[in-house]
Amino acid sequence: MTQRAMKFNKAYSSLINKLPPSLVCEAWSRIISRKRNPMTEEEASSINPLVESFLRHEVNRYQKKLKYQRKSWPLLKNSLYDTDMPDQETQTQDTAPIYTCEHEEEIDCRVKKELDSLSRQLLEFNEKTFDPFIQEITKRLEEQDSVNNKLHSENDQQKLKLHKAEKLLASLSINK
């Protein structure tokens, strides 16, 4: 973050503290690069009712998102996972807070690790859930393949018998 963005943080610290650092960086870039009436860094750094209104809006959006996630998380946890997941308080205690946009690589690394972990959990869940179905389908296909092979074999034998019968008839009709 630039020095100007840090002034932005200080001027609205009560609002900024309610947002994660990534949203603070995003809000800063959005406020100074709006299509309509873009603000200069100086305007955004000073106390401005538009900036305050924008930050309040962002805080409200973020809190609504958290509220929705809290409502939907128990449903997801109960329906998809059989594993113990740490609660939000434990997660926040285990991680050091990140206050600047300069730590984006570290954030990306953490997100990738979490995604890898969730991917592994999903794969394990899918294996537990779908392996019996896959095995049953495979068994049925193998049985059907076996039946088909037997029918092909019988068909070939019938063709041989027919061919022999045709030769015998041909030889009998020639001998008459």
Side-chain angles (χ1 to χ4, degrees):
M1 250 184 329
T2 64
Q3 285 297 97
R4 305 263 185 229
M6 291 193 165
K7 288 183 184 177
F8 173 79
N9 285 343
K10 290 176 185 174
Y12 302 102
S13 61
S14 63
L15 293 171
I16 297 298
N17 290 336
K18 294 178 183 178
L19 294 170
S22 59
L23 288 183
V24 172
C25 293
E26 184 182 324
W28 174 256
S29 63
R30 284 176 52 203
I31 198 93
I32 62 172
S33 62
R34 296 184 307 177
K35 288 183 181 178
R36 287 173 151 184
N37 303 326
M39 291 187 155
T40 64
E41 289 186 3
E42 291 81 20
E43 289 174 323
S45 298
S46 64
I47 295 179
N48 187 323
L50 292 174
V51 173
E52 185 174 357
S53 173
F54 175 76
L55 287 174
R56 284 188 196 283
H57 172 74
E58 290 299 305
V59 168
N60 286 337
R61 279 182 53 207
Y62 179 66
Q63 289 175 344
K64 283 180 184 178
K65 180 181 174 187
L66 288 179
K67 189 175 181 180
Y68 174 77
Q69 286 175 342
R70 284 187 201 116
K71 284 181 182 177
S72 63
W73 174 245
L75 296 174
L76 261 176
K77 183 177 179 185
N78 292 337
S79 66
L80 292 179
Y81 300 105
D82 239 355
T83 60
D84 292 330
M85 298 290 286
D87 61 3
Q88 187 176 4
E89 186 175 313
T90 306
Q91 289 177 2
T92 54
Q93 289 173 353
D94 291 345
T95 59
I98 300 172
Y99 295 105
T100 65
C101 291
E102 295 163 357
H103 291 90
E104 284 183 29
E105 288 179 17
E106 184 179 341
I107 293 170
D108 287 345
C109 183
R110 288 182 186 178
V111 168
K112 286 177 185 174
K113 284 181 183 178
E114 189 63 27
L115 281 173
D116 289 344
S117 172
L118 289 173
S119 295
R120 271 187 260 110
Q121 288 177 1
L122 184 60
L123 284 173
E124 289 170 6
F125 170 79
N126 285 343
E127 284 177 2
K128 288 178 188 176
T129 305
F130 298 111
D131 263 358
F133 297 121
I134 298 298
Q135 289 174 358
E136 181 64 29
I137 290 170
T138 304
K139 182 180 172 185
R140 286 183 188 170
L141 286 173
E142 287 172 352
E143 288 172 356
Q144 188 65 42
D145 192 36
S146 175
V147 168
N148 284 345
N149 286 340
K150 286 179 185 176
L151 289 173
H152 280 291
S153 177
E154 286 179 27
N155 192 14
D156 289 343
Q157 288 175 1
Q158 292 298 325
K159 283 181 182 178
L160 283 175
K161 285 181 183 179
L162 178 64
H163 189 63
K164 285 181 185 178
E166 286 175 346
K167 280 186 180 181
L168 182 62
L169 280 173
S171 69
L172 286 175
S173 64
I174 292 175
N175 289 339
K176 283 187 177 181

